[in-house]
Amino acid sequence: MGEHRHYDPTNDLVFKFVFGREERKNITLKFINDMTGREGDRAFVDLDFRNGEFAPTKVDEKLGRLDVFGILNDKSRVDIEMQVINHMNMEKRALFYWAQMYLHFEALQTGQAYRQIKPAISINILRFPYLPTEEPFSKYGIYNIENGHHLSNDLEIDFLEIPKYKDKPVKDMTRIERWLAYFANRLAPAEKEELAMQAPEIKDAMEASDRFLMDDKAYWEYIQRESAIWDYNSDVLDAKEQAKEEGRAWGLEEGRKQGIEQGIERGIEQGEGKIVLNLLKAGQKVSVVEQLSGWSRQRILSYAEEHGVKAET
């Protein structure tokens, strides 16, 4: 595979470069087919990348953006999200993004029947453990709670939890486990070579990542992003521990829960602010920071001025 800089494939900048480009459509299609269990005549064979930005429905709602969004050859919609930070709301976030994809982007035009709405597939790659299962891959749909009847194929929400990766011989890995090994990035060099030989699209992904990070500017942005993620997670964990102590001091279970919730909120606010400042200090333009952080332009400018940081517009 040659010499390359060390990197984490779950970094969202690296991920979008590898999986969100027309010239590497083969990588993205293979990943989608493997995650959804499609092969042969059922496999998706084409993907039309689209702008994943959706406008707010209310004045006070923030602009939303899907990480990698496109229309598949059967007109199904697909969104692939790389979630690097645990905001404690993954299930609601996944449903919200799925709903936006299912209902918007010209999903149903005037005069069309409901039957013409196409299925929507949401694939969420998590850099943190979240679901109450030991298995790293989980698939959700709409089912009857009593008898298990599957109501519709229109909703599919998949989760791939990277921290749940377990070492396994490459030759024994399933299609999904190969991708899990790629994102976990814990294989020895010889094992990476074996993985690349068994899965050509993963080899392409590795080579594209190396190419991206050999650019000094891209590598600097990668380092800044990783630093911001680390700072955010550290702040949230500190706030949670502090809130637990406050809850114990109150001596009441309800008070303890409230303290934890308040601490999480404080940590999220502090962590997001630190990310914004780090990105601005690294020379990122306000428009880029707005996209990465989810903050409004005015909020970014005000926060930067408050902390004495120059904001490049």
Side-chain angles (χ1 to χ4, degrees):
M1 299 301 295
E3 294 297 324
H4 62 273
R5 289 168 163 167
H6 177 75
Y7 66 93
D8 188 331
T10 64
N11 178 283
D12 40 353
L13 300 180
V14 177
F15 171 75
K16 290 177 185 178
F17 178 82
V18 175
F19 289 85
R21 300 290 186 90
E22 178 72 22
E23 61 267 29
R24 284 181 287 280
K25 184 189 299 185
N26 65 306
I27 299 175
T28 313
L29 276 169
K30 178 60 175 173
F31 176 73
I32 294 169
N33 282 321
D34 287 346
M35 291 300 103
T36 58
R38 286 169 170 79
E39 57 185 342
D41 293 339
R42 294 183 62 245
F44 296 119
V45 296
D46 198 13
L47 174 63
D48 180 14
F49 287 105
R50 299 289 183 86
N51 179 7
E53 182 177 289
F54 52 87
T57 57
K58 297 180 182 178
V59 174
D60 58 348
E61 289 181 349
K62 70 178 183 179
L63 187 72
R65 291 180 178 86
L66 306 178
D67 282 353
V68 176
F69 169 65
I71 309 296
L72 293 157
N73 55 280
D74 69 347
K75 305 306 179 184
S76 294
R77 286 122 193 285
V78 63
D79 168 38
I80 309 174
E81 294 288 318
M82 175 58 74
Q83 298 291 345
V84 299
I85 292 174
N86 186 358
H87 292 281
M88 317 296 176
N89 60 2
M90 193 60 239
E91 66 277 16
K92 293 185 180 295
R93 182 181 292 257
L95 280 169
F96 179 76
Y97 283 172
W98 175 88
Q100 292 294 332
M101 179 173 50
Y102 187 64
L103 297 176
H104 297 288
F105 305 106
E106 301 179 355
L108 186 64
Q109 299 180 17
T110 303
Q112 291 183 325
Y114 285 116
R115 66 176 179 274
Q116 292 177 281
I117 299 179
K118 297 300 181 180
I121 303 167
S122 174
I123 302 173
N124 301 275
I125 308 168
L126 310 186
R127 196 168 172 171
F128 48 87
Y130 193 80
L131 299 171
T133 61
E134 292 185 6
E135 294 301 315
F137 179 71
S138 301
K139 183 186 296 290
Y140 289 83
I142 306 177
Y143 294 85
N144 183 304
I145 296 174
E146 298 297 330
N147 60 28
H149 172 253
H150 190 191
L151 180 65
S152 171
N153 290 318
D154 277 15
L155 182 148
E156 179 177 335
I157 300 180
D158 301 332
F159 295 93
L160 187 66
E161 299 174 87
I162 306 305
K164 294 181 180 179
Y165 167 80
K166 294 180 180 178
D167 293 330
K168 185 177 185 178
V170 173
K171 63 181 178 62
D172 296 331
M173 290 181 180
T174 64
R175 296 160 66 189
I176 291 177
E177 287 172 339
R178 290 173 181 172
W179 286 108
L180 183 62
Y182 163 72
F183 286 117
N185 201 28
R186 284 166 38 185
L187 296 178
E191 292 175 311
K192 281 189 176 182
E193 291 281 357
E194 183 181 357
L195 180 62
M197 290 180 63
Q198 290 196 12
E201 286 78 13
I202 293 181
K203 177 182 179 181
D204 292 343
M206 292 177 181
E207 291 177 345
S209 301
D210 290 342
R211 224 167 26 247
F212 175 68
L213 292 166
M214 285 308 295
D215 179 86
D216 290 338
K217 184 176 182 294
Y219 190 63
W220 173 247
E221 291 173 353
Y222 165 84
I223 294 296
Q224 290 298 308
R225 181 63 174 140
E226 285 298 302
S227 175
I229 294 168
W230 188 90
D231 285 345
Y232 175 92
N233 287 331
S234 178
D235 285 344
V236 170
L237 288 173
D238 289 346
K240 288 171 68 176
E241 289 303 315
Q242 180 182 348
K244 287 179 182 179
E245 292 301 323
E246 291 175 1
R248 293 190 188 99
W250 293 338
L252 296 172
E253 179 63 20
E254 185 59 32
R256 187 183 71 82
K257 290 179 180 178
Q258 291 178 4
I260 292 173
E261 291 172 0
Q262 291 170 7
I264 291 172
E265 290 175 1
R266 287 199 303 271
I268 290 173
E269 177 69 23
Q270 294 167 5
E272 288 180 348
K274 188 167 287 188
I275 289 174
V276 166
L277 294 180
N278 281 342
L279 290 171
L280 292 174
K281 289 175 183 177
Q284 291 284 6
K285 292 182 182 270
V286 171
S287 59
V288 176
V289 177
E290 186 180 2
Q291 180 179 358
L292 293 175
S293 68
W295 284 23
S296 69
R297 180 182 180 85
Q298 186 55 49
R299 185 181 180 190
I300 293 169
L301 292 173
S302 298
Y303 197 79
E305 182 179 359
E306 179 184 342
H307 290 80
V309 175
K310 183 180 179 182
E312 293 289 342
T313 57

